[in-house]
Amino acid sequence: MFRILARAGGNRLRSTATLDALTTTRAFGTKAAPPSRLRNIVWASTGAVVCGLGYLYVTDSSAGIHRYVFTPIMRLLDPEDAHNLAISMLKYGACPTDRAADDGLLAVELWGKRMSNPIGLAAGFDKNAEAIDSLFGLGFGAVEVGSITPLAQEGNPKPRLFRIEDNSAVINRMGLNNSGMQMCADRIRSRFWRLLASQSKQQGETVAELSSSVNRSAFTDRLLGINLSKNKTSKNDSYDDYVDGLRTLGAYADYVVINVSCPNVKNIAAGADVAVLESTIKAVLRERNRMADYRPPVVLKIGPDNDNDQLKLIAQLAMDYCVDGIITTNTTPTRPAGLRDPDEVAKEAGGLSGAPLRSMALATTREMYRLTGGHIPIIGCGGISTAEDALAFAQAGASMVQIYTSMVFDGPGKPREIKDGLVELLKGRKWTDVVGEDTRK
């Protein structure tokens, strides 16, 4: 009897519990998830957020991980291997970007073309025009590719690239290795029309309309420079290689650079012989002026080792023939005093770039601006690694500056670092307000 009553009571309790559960389910519309499922949802959500934030951090060029982790790791590699790896990563988009907008104080106009900032990448980094868009993505206002020669050439024997770590300097004797102008022209040309076709679909304008309104970089506020030089087999006093390069590549350049100052080849007489320099300038400008639809500005790149008399002659030629700009300067074959070089890397032959070049390049910039009366735009290059350096070059007369070696030591966030620093240093003034300030005092 007691057993029957107990069983009946248990059945009633279970029925009550079941009814309560059903009532609860109906009241809330769903059954409570098991704890393990909730835990999985929480972990998955947290992981997605962390991965998303991590992606945003790592792909930001100004993130400290690039300067303090990735760049030091790259410097453990052979210098040329590290350079080639960097180009490959940029080429395939495995690189960070500068996400910040440029401050309006940094805007500058050269040859009627607008740049959102005056920080450019010097020639020598992207020799074969393989990574243009990723380099613009790092925040440069201008990217200069090359040097490019008419025929492909291997350059000098390896090893040919060396770091002087204690001086944040590099010695190179690359010898103008590049893929040749036809291959580079194919890359540059296809990129230009591909980007214009994409913009045409987005903006509803024809490609023809866009081609007349954007810079040759395919952007409204960036410039693409193409640096031209000579094959090693060409005659010392010949200018044909420059003319051929201009004829093939000029239509796709916001400016063309005539490199007459590379210290790593021996057949560029225009860098030392004024008569050859004059004939080269005349021939290149004559070819440029024959171009029908578009005529790119022609810029001369000179070395840092000219004395005052040589600089006067160069400045006079530039003004007489209406050269559109001058880059001051290329690398130097000399070795400034005071190099900290315990490994004796400085004994290697080649052009020195980086911090030790700064004073020579700055002095050349100041003198060339003075000699040309500020009538020819100057592009300062050599040892620029900080906002203070960039400002000093502007005050000496540079309308734009270029960097390269400082990225080897400090990483891809260097353009943003310099731009942010400049905004602070300018204190409300515009970049264009300080250009040539030292000479005007």
Side-chain angles (χ1 to χ4, degrees):
M1 170 67 86
F2 290 112
R3 190 177 299 143
I4 293 170
L5 290 172
R7 187 179 299 125
N11 288 338
R12 281 195 298 272
L13 288 171
R14 280 193 293 274
S15 299
T16 303
T18 302
L19 181 61
D20 290 341
L22 288 170
T23 303
T24 302
T25 301
R26 291 192 188 100
F28 291 95
T30 185
K31 199 170 183 178
S36 60
R37 185 181 174 194
L38 280 173
R39 191 182 303 115
N40 290 340
I41 293 172
V42 170
W43 278 110
S45 300
T46 303
V49 171
V50 169
C51 288
L53 293 175
Y55 173 80
L56 291 174
Y57 175 75
V58 172
T59 56
D60 184 344
S61 64
S62 60
I65 194 170
H66 297 292
R67 179 168 188 166
Y68 300 110
V69 178
F70 294 153
T71 300
I73 290 174
M74 291 284 279
R75 293 211 311 276
L76 296 175
L77 302 176
D78 169 81
E80 189 164 353
D81 290 343
H83 176 88
N84 292 337
L85 176 59
I87 288 293
S88 295
M89 294 175 69
L90 287 159
K91 179 179 178 179
Y92 294 108
C95 57
T97 58
D98 177 11
R99 294 199 183 95
D102 290 338
D103 194 293
L105 296 176
L106 301 179
V108 62
E109 187 175 291
L110 286 177
W111 313 297
K113 304 167 185 279
R114 183 182 180 276
M115 300 165 59
S116 64
N117 74 79
I119 312 302
L121 175 66
F125 186 85
D126 189 4
K127 294 175 178 292
N128 297 312
E130 297 177 277
I132 295 171
D133 290 314
S134 289
L135 290 168
F136 277 127
L138 295 181
F140 288 107
V143 169
E144 189 176 311
V145 299
S147 282
I148 300 171
T149 55
L151 302 176
Q153 58 184 25
E154 291 294 325
N156 293 324
K158 298 178 182 179
R160 52 192 181 179
L161 186 62
F162 312 89
R163 304 186 198 99
I164 308 179
E165 296 281 347
D166 290 348
N167 292 272
S168 297
V170 166
I171 292 173
N172 94 82
R173 53 170 181 262
M174 302 297 287
L176 299 176
N177 56 305
N178 71 100
S179 300
M181 67 182 182
Q182 289 299 336
M183 185 173 290
C184 292
D186 289 344
R187 290 193 188 109
I188 295 169
R189 185 187 303 113
S190 63
R191 171 193 172 272
F192 179 72
W193 293 115
R194 184 181 68 252
L195 289 179
L196 257 61
S198 175
Q199 293 174 24
S200 174
K201 292 179 181 178
Q202 296 173 3
Q203 301 176 21
E205 296 182 64
T206 66
V207 171
E209 290 171 336
L210 283 171
S211 66
S212 63
S213 62
V214 300
N215 297 331
R216 268 12 193 198
S217 66
F219 299 107
T220 57
D221 58 355
R222 298 284 193 273
L223 301 188
L224 175 63
I226 300 180
N227 187 298
L228 304 176
S229 199
K230 295 172 61 172
N231 281 115
K232 294 173 71 173
T233 55
S234 299
K235 293 181 180 179
N236 284 13
D237 58 355
S238 171
Y239 48 71
D240 292 339
D241 287 0
Y242 297 115
V243 172
D244 289 346
L246 175 66
R247 188 181 295 128
T248 303
L249 292 158
Y252 298 96
D254 286 306
Y255 64 94
V256 169
V257 179
I258 306 304
N259 182 4
V260 296
S261 54
C262 177
N264 299 314
V265 291
K266 299 179 180 179
N267 66 328
I268 303 182
D273 188 320
V274 174
V276 177
L277 177 61
E278 181 174 15
S279 64
T280 299
I281 292 173
K282 288 171 63 176
V284 171
L285 290 175
R286 182 167 59 244
E287 180 63 30
R288 190 275 309 272
N289 293 338
R290 287 174 179 165
M291 296 173 69
D293 299 325
Y294 170 73
R295 297 175 179 177
V298 171
V299 177
L300 196 65
K301 186 166 187 175
I302 66 173
D305 302 294
N306 297 290
D307 60 30
N308 285 340
D309 289 338
Q310 290 171 316
L311 289 177
K312 288 178 183 177
L313 289 170
I314 294 170
Q316 192 61 53
L317 285 175
M319 290 188 292
D320 288 347
Y321 291 100
C322 299
V323 169
D324 298 294
I326 302 172
I327 297 179
T328 53
T329 65
N330 213 321
T331 60
T332 177
T334 65
R335 301 294 179 261
L339 285 177
R340 299 184 301 278
D341 185 27
D343 298 323
E344 298 186 336
V345 178
K347 291 183 177 180
E348 296 287 349
L352 176 73
S353 62
L357 181 60
R358 178 185 179 276
S359 60
M360 297 173 69
L362 182 62
T364 303
T365 300
R366 183 177 292 109
E367 185 64 8
M368 189 54 65
Y369 182 84
R370 186 186 70 80
L371 290 169
T372 58
H375 297 302
I376 297 177
I378 307 294
I379 300 174
C381 180
I384 297 170
S385 61
T386 66
E388 287 79 7
D389 293 339
L391 182 62
F393 272 79
Q395 291 170 329
S399 297
M400 174 179 126
V401 296
Q402 293 179 327
I403 65 172
Y404 174 178
T405 304
S406 59
M407 287 208 308
V408 172
F409 295 95
D410 296 334
K414 182 56 68 174
R416 172 49 53 191
E417 176 193 323
I418 292 177
K419 290 186 291 185
D420 288 345
L422 278 172
V423 172
E424 293 184 13
L425 292 172
L426 288 170
K427 297 179 180 178
R429 302 172 71 192
K430 296 179 180 179
W431 168 269
T432 52
D433 293 337
V434 302
V435 172
E437 192 173 52
D438 287 353
T439 303
R440 296 197 304 267
K441 288 179 180 177

